[in-house]
Amino acid sequence: AGVWLRQHSVVAKRHHPLVAAMPVPSRPLDEEELQALSGVWSCILELDDGNRSIMCHLAPSGSVQTTGNVQFTVARWSAFAARGSAAVNVRLQLGAWQLRGRGERKGLRCNALNGTVLEGSDDPDCVGSFRMALAIPVMDNRRLAELERRHQAREDARPAPPARTRRSALAGQWRLLLTIEDSPPAFFTVTLTLPSTLRSGRFQTEGLPKLAGVWGVWEPRASKRDTSTQQAGTHMWLRVDRDKSTETLRGLGGLPVHESFSLWGKPVLSLEAEIKSRMRSEEEGAPADRVNGCAYFGTSVDKEWVQAGQWSLVRSDVGI
């Protein structure tokens, strides 16, 4: 199949708009969800060199059996969805073809998918589009209803996700208590500002000597390299920039530090705020009046960071 594809799919590199529009999958589907999607699907490939029709049997294990004029040495599938979302993203690999599609579910059942066909692995080319329709589901309506009951029980037993705080809710004036190594605690009044774009926010302490740098939010499941663009997260970070801070003979901002350093912490929610956060939408996030964490030298990228102290942020209008 690989040789056949290379001979018949030589096209100029281009990008299909559906590729850019498709959201990033957040989690693999649960067992019940995979079973509900399993069955025989009719697949129409609209390729640059002509259309193809293939019948695909998607098994819950991830294997794919196909019928048609083309046989594939590699055939597998996987599916992803955001928690609680009706949208489902499906990936199929059929030889050198990579199918990236999306559909809408009613309950656990999805009857149609459509998306793009890519060719190649490292830097794939878009060679067409596809559409799929569920012809013969593995699960009949009675068994599907039982699947949905089992899946709902799984969802009900799943621990609640951690409260997330929006970056915009953390902007404003705070009091910073910072202890570096064995030095006495230092107090600062710091203002966190939001950027006009998706870049990191800025912060600066009042008076001289000052600390200044950038800040944002993140969560452990995400890469720390992408923190500047995150709009909500379970944790907070600040990066004290040596070039933007006041440096004295003692160090930055009067601290015994002569290099840039980072503050990583987690917002502390009251029981009332924790309960309210479960009732709010993810877009609203949870309010926070305090953030506690640790100070570090180095970065997570070079893996040579060293814990150097502790810190706390408290809203200026909240008592310590």
Side-chain angles (χ1 to χ4, degrees):
V3 174
W4 187 92
L5 291 171
R6 285 193 294 272
Q7 292 175 346
H8 293 78
S9 299
V10 180
V11 297
K13 181 178 288 295
R14 59 188 175 88
H15 298 283
H16 196 282
L18 284 179
V19 175
M22 190 178 301
V24 177
S26 59
R27 64 169 182 89
L29 295 190
D30 294 326
E31 176 185 352
E32 296 84 5
E33 295 174 293
L34 291 174
Q35 292 182 35
L37 289 179
S38 299
V40 178
W41 290 74
S42 171
C43 179
I44 305 297
L45 303 174
E46 299 178 348
L47 306 177
D48 294 330
D49 61 345
N51 295 349
R52 302 286 186 274
S53 178
I54 304 174
M55 298 300 291
C56 299
H57 179 201
L58 308 186
S61 62
S63 64
V64 178
Q65 294 181 343
T66 62
T67 60
N69 296 328
V70 183
Q71 297 299 316
F72 303 98
T73 56
V74 178
R76 54 176 176 251
W77 74 287
S78 58
F80 306 82
R83 187 74 63 192
S85 173
V88 60
N89 296 313
V90 176
R91 299 177 178 178
L92 287 89
Q93 181 176 358
L94 302 176
W97 284 330
Q98 300 179 49
L99 279 61
R100 301 289 184 264
R102 186 181 185 188
E104 293 291 326
R105 296 181 293 178
K106 184 177 181 180
L108 297 184
R109 174 66 53 78
C110 178
N111 293 307
L113 299 167
N114 63 82
T116 59
V117 181
L118 307 177
E119 185 178 2
S121 55
D122 296 334
D123 188 16
D125 298 324
C126 179
V127 295
S129 61
F130 77 93
R131 62 182 186 273
M132 295 178 65
L134 181 60
I136 307 175
V138 170
M139 297 293 173
D140 58 25
N141 291 337
R142 181 183 61 81
R143 297 170 66 190
L144 179 63
E146 177 59 28
L147 275 182
E148 292 179 342
R149 285 193 292 270
R150 283 167 44 192
H151 184 258
Q152 187 59 52
R154 181 195 295 270
E155 289 293 302
D156 294 342
R158 198 184 306 275
R164 303 174 79 241
T165 302
R166 287 198 62 79
R167 183 172 65 167
S168 58
L170 294 171
Q173 192 173 79
W174 298 75
R175 285 175 289 177
L176 171 63
L177 171 62
L178 176 59
T179 302
I180 296 294
E181 296 178 331
D182 297 327
S183 64
F187 292 89
F188 300 91
T189 297
V190 58
T191 301
L192 308 181
T193 59
L194 291 172
S196 57
T197 63
L198 292 179
R199 296 178 301 174
S200 304
R202 302 288 187 266
F203 77 88
Q204 179 174 306
T205 59
E206 293 183 356
L208 293 175
K210 71 175 182 181
L211 297 176
V214 294
W215 70 280
V217 294
W218 69 288
E219 45 195 304
R221 66 182 181 182
S223 170
K224 291 184 180 180
R225 301 184 184 187
D226 302 329
T227 53
S228 61
T229 60
Q230 293 186 29
Q231 300 300 302
T234 57
H235 292 64
M236 179 183 184
W237 62 271
L238 298 92
R239 179 68 176 172
V240 178
D241 191 330
R242 175 184 176 183
D243 295 334
K244 297 178 182 178
S245 303
T246 302
E247 185 171 11
T248 65
L249 291 177
R250 175 174 171 78
L252 301 181
L255 300 171
V257 179
H258 292 274
E259 60 181 294
S260 300
F261 61 95
S262 299
L263 307 176
W264 296 87
K266 184 176 182 180
V268 179
L269 302 178
S270 65
L271 178 59
E272 180 181 2
E274 186 79 19
I275 294 175
K276 287 182 178 180
S277 72
R278 306 303 179 193
M279 302 172 62
R280 291 170 178 259
S281 66
E282 185 171 301
E283 288 74 20
E284 291 180 291
D289 294 324
R290 180 186 296 268
V291 183
N292 294 334
C294 295
Y296 299 90
F297 294 126
T299 66
S300 61
V301 177
D302 58 27
K303 297 182 180 180
E304 295 180 355
W305 54 267
V306 176
Q307 184 173 333
Q310 296 180 324
W311 62 281
S312 290
L313 273 179
V314 180
R315 290 279 187 187
S316 294
D317 56 352
V318 175
I320 298 179

